Amino acid sequence: MTNNPLIITCAITGAELSKQDTPYLPVTPDEIADSACDAVSEGAHIIHLHVRDESFNPTQRVDIFEDVTKKIREKCNCIIQYSTGGSVGTPISERLAPLELKPDMATLSMGTMNFGNDIFENTESTIHAIAKGIKKNRILAELEIFDFGMLDTTNRFLKREILPQNFHINFVLGVQGGSAANIQNLVSLQDRLKKNQTWTVSSMGKFQLPLTVNAITMGGHVRIGFEDNIFYKKGELATSNAQFIKRIVRISNELGRNIATLSEAKNILFNHM
Ligand code: KMH
Ligand code: ZN
């Protein structure tokens, strides 16, 4: 077992679900901040943040990101990561807007893909624009890798010096249109990374638990939470994000992999910046 302590990301709300899918989904600024800090108190380090407007629709509005960030900062200590993906169809200008608030981290999706029946558009110029915004605001990027081709795009963009020098990688597996959430894909993807590259895995629905457990044994990090999965087990809705965190902390400890302290997590992620 690796002696690299585990970093846990909690994806609180996402952009695709509503209270109709699960009544436990946090959607107001207070609900999102409370859910984030409950997850942090169970062991989460990074909060992957999407926000909702007054009608609970996904939005990239700067004032709402600012409000939720303030509420989280008042209640707990963690690394805050903004989504620049937004929801499918969000214009690039809106996706970029919250970067002006200089969060600790922000996502950068590395290619266009089918996303269920929609198209999640990340043309080369979109990737370029988001990378520029991330570099300008000195934010740590997390590259969202939904399929194998996106790693090739990453390498091509690295050669052109478009991406920041230091970044975290998130393998997002099991989205309809991306690579499937299975262990073969996870092993092959991580095998292509440079030796010291930090990586995490997010996987959808029922694949969340098995793939995160595998990532723990492989020395990777994990992302869990309602954005990717609303069921605690088959047929049983999770009642909070914290419930997922509590379980993964327990499993990781059982497997002999320590949970990082917040300062260890920051050292691991930011030490090259
Ligand atoms: N909501 C998805 C279309 C990200 O946060 O950067 C994109 C997404 C990725 O969630
Ligand atoms: Zn997201």
Side-chain angles (χ1 to χ4, degrees):
M1 179 63 68
T2 171
N3 58 8
N4 161 30
L6 184 72
I7 301 172
I8 303 169
T9 300
C10 189
I12 303 291
T13 307
E16 281 71 40
L17 299 175
S18 73
K19 293 254 194 216
Q20 258 133 24
D21 299 294
T22 172
Y24 305 108
L25 190 76
V27 290
T28 68
D30 281 314
E31 285 174 352
I32 293 172
D34 288 348
S35 186
C37 288
D38 289 348
V40 169
S41 62
E42 292 296 343
H45 307 85
I46 303 173
I47 296 300
H48 172 72
L49 203 60
H50 289 255
V51 297
R52 303 295 175 101
D53 66 16
E54 291 77 2
S55 309
F56 312 135
N57 292 317
T59 179
Q60 292 291 104
R61 264 172 52 193
V62 175
D63 60 325
I64 302 182
F65 268 97
E66 191 168 27
D67 183 30
V68 176
T69 301
K70 188 164 166 275
K71 287 181 186 323
I72 295 174
R73 294 276 185 237
E74 277 164 8
K75 285 192 77 176
C76 67
N77 224 340
C78 60
I79 297 163
I80 297 184
Q81 178 191 82
Y82 287 178
S83 169
T84 64
S87 56
V88 284
T90 308
I92 178 65
S93 58
E94 292 175 25
R95 287 171 60 179
L96 281 167
L99 295 181
E100 74 182 50
L101 298 173
K102 303 186 194 305
D104 306 305
M105 294 180 75
T107 57
L108 172 53
S109 293
M110 289 307 297
T112 296
M113 61 187 291
N114 283 342
F115 201 93
N117 201 29
D118 297 308
I119 296 175
F120 182 31
E121 198 175 315
N122 294 288
T123 61
E124 297 220 345
S125 54
T126 301
I127 299 170
H128 202 144
I130 297 174
K132 203 168 152 199
I134 284 175
K135 285 202 281 192
K136 180 175 147 220
N137 290 293
R138 301 184 62 77
I139 298 164
L140 176 62
E142 178 180 277
L143 308 191
E144 309 299 294
I145 306 295
F146 291 81
D147 66 32
F148 283 81
M150 293 191 195
L151 263 192
D152 298 315
T153 302
T154 299
N155 290 332
R156 203 153 36 80
F157 270 52
L158 274 171
K159 279 199 192 115
R160 287 161 59 193
E161 296 183 0
I162 289 167
L163 298 178
Q165 290 289 311
N166 184 37
F167 49 81
H168 191 43
I169 290 265
N170 180 17
F171 296 125
V172 190
L173 301 180
V175 172
Q176 278 180 49
S179 290
N182 60 46
I183 296 161
Q184 292 90 329
N185 282 345
L186 182 61
V187 170
S188 314
L189 283 163
Q190 74 93 37
D191 203 39
R192 295 186 183 193
L193 298 180
K194 288 206 179 112
K195 196 166 167 290
N196 290 323
Q197 175 62 54
T198 62
W199 62 275
T200 190
V201 70
S202 310
S203 31
M204 302 304 120
K206 67 180 180 186
F207 301 106
Q208 183 168 86
L209 181 60
L211 282 216
T212 50
V213 171
N214 274 281
I216 292 170
T217 66
M218 289 161 65
H221 303 285
V222 298
R223 172 174 121 172
I224 47 186
F226 282 140
E227 176 165 345
D228 306 329
N229 173 35
I230 58 174
F231 289 99
Y232 190 72
K233 54 171 89 142
K234 193 172 178 195
E236 185 184 314
L237 287 173
T239 55
S240 68
N241 279 299
Q243 201 184 4
F244 290 124
I245 308 296
K246 201 169 176 175
R247 174 167 65 184
I248 216 67
V249 166
R250 189 178 69 241
I251 291 172
S252 191
N253 283 327
E254 291 280 344
L255 290 168
R257 177 117 184 247
N258 293 333
I259 309 299
T261 62
L262 184 59
S263 80
E264 283 172 335
K266 285 182 179 170
N267 276 341
I268 293 167
L269 294 167
F270 295 86
N271 62 356
H272 299 303
M273 280 193 99

